[in-house]
Amino acid sequence: MSHIRTFSELEQEAIKIYNEIKDKDLKPKDRMAIPQMDMPSQDPIIRGKNQQEVALGYTKEQAMVEAARCLQCKSAPCINGCPVSINIPKFLEEAAKGEFQKSVDVIKESSLLPAICGRVCPQESQCMEECTVGKSLKDKMKSVAIGRVERFVADLERETSEVKTPEIKPSTGFKVAVVGSGPAGLTVAADLRKDGHEVEIFEAFHKPGGVMIYGIPEFRLPKAIVEKEIETLKSMGVKFHMNFLVGRTRTIEDLMEKDGFNAVFIGSGAGLPKFMNIPGENLVGVFSANEYLTRSNLMKAYDKERVDTPIYHSKKVAVLGGGNVAMDAARMALRLGAEEVNVIYRRTKNEMPARAEEIEHAEEEGIKFHFLSNPVQILGDETGRVKAIECLKYELGEPDASGRRSPIAIKGSEFVMEMDTIIPALGNASNPLIKQTTEDLITNKWGNITVDENKRTSIKGVYAGGDIVLGAATVILAMGEGRIAAKTISEDLLNNKL
Ligand code: FAD
Ligand code: SF4
Ligand code: SF4
């Protein structure tokens, strides 16, 4: 493991470079010579015992130096990698000059949630993947750290200035219902409200925010940031109905026929956990990652002194899977006091879908990885509790349809590891409730709602976007879908198409 540099070392490095480059007319080769600014982070031993954010954020000098690495490419390929087409060179140019407010204003023309996306976007496979700097250095991880600068300017604005309530156009008299309060629903609500429509959000949980609140842990995304965005929506006049399960409390048809909504947007996400269907998955001590994380994040099970949310007291934990959800569950188990946390993944580290930064952080914190291994069964004791997991060893064969090499089981390679807790984190599918209670709503074979390119569903006046359409995807994609849907809804309402 490489040496983790301290906050002070990183700060000093940035100040030194900043003093060298400030007031200079930097040529592309000077910019290419600037090293990428590392993100300061909490010490792994300390953070493994707390819920506070791991990444501490750039200092002012770090943000300016990192932004100065941008070559201001005329064709700006990075913009093509951003699902909401933020004007990246422009916001970096402003940040490099220390014009932080102007920088965040540029971002906000395209993104509603920059402090959130700057933290959780899989940047290395989006904007950073296309960046000329990374391509020239033949390492996309060394591209301009676009999201880190985005996070810095958004945080600075939130911490130092009053939240501005966006301007709202005069009332149109139209009413829109939004089902679900994740990034898709919140974006639709904000954009429609700005256009002068009345907007009401219906959310099944007692707190709004979707996965940003119940799934992604505090140590990666502080909840106060999401809550502040929600406060802004409330100040704009968006109404929130919590503990409201559409499909049970009211159907989509009720909302339109009985409650007078002119349009409905469905942003109900993909919250249904997948299991492996292997023997032993019903034993006590097996939890879906969704349940485990919801108890910890939304129900604050980690705050043992103030809340009494039950959570299993684990010593040896196995998390099954290799995505962001698996990394979150593993790192949460560590923070909840587990003595040993193992991740079991059937391919190798190279094929893991989790963000590189999350894998690195998990390794630093002492999570053990068992690659090319896959569970066959979970073994229980006489009281019905988990006592071990049996796995098979795998090797990689030819690439499959996704381009990744398929894992092939090695006969006779079974091995058993003692465990008391198993957390399958194999991805999520869409919850079938809305489909089951909405006649004529067309979905695909995975249960995702079918929409046209403008997010219209098969029912007039009903739109959908985010994970319920894409399958489990990302925050920024859900936000982008919400943006398109809001535009369509507004146009349809104002042009009397409904
Ligand atoms: P969601 O965020 O799922 O919100 C849907 C909301 O609808 C929920 O609040 C739900 O309670 C509500 N709802 C559902 N059904 C109903 C109903 N019938 N009535 C009323 N309300 C209902 N993405 C990233 O970009 N980066 C990451 O690092 C990342 N990490 C993740 C970690 C975890 C643990 C998980 C689970 C996901 C992660 N994702 C990440 C994915 C990302 O969070 C989702 O793609 C995104 O939140 C989808 O947004 P959404 O608005 O479509 O749905
Ligand atoms: Fe990159 Fe995400 Fe920011 Fe777009 S929103 S610029 S993809 S970090
Ligand atoms: Fe700057 Fe990279 Fe975008 Fe070029 S591709 S404008 S270097 S961020």
Side-chain angles (χ1 to χ4, degrees), residues 64 185 254 260 417 473:
M64 286 195 284
D254 291 338
M417 292 189 285

Side-chain angles (χ1 to χ4, degrees), residues 48 237 259 281:
D259 302 332
E281 265 183 323

Side-chain angles (χ1 to χ4, degrees), residues 78-79 81-86 88 91 107 111 113-114 117-123 126-128 146-148 150 476 479:
C78 49
I79 300 181
C82 172
V84 294
S85 306
I86 291 176
I88 296 169
F91 98 72
I107 301 172
S111 169
L113 310 167
C117 295
R119 283 173 165 81
V120 303
C121 247
Q123 294 146 36
Q126 296 181 333
C127 52
M128 281 174 76
I146 300 165
R148 292 179 185 170
E150 182 175 337
I476 189 73
M479 218 193 84

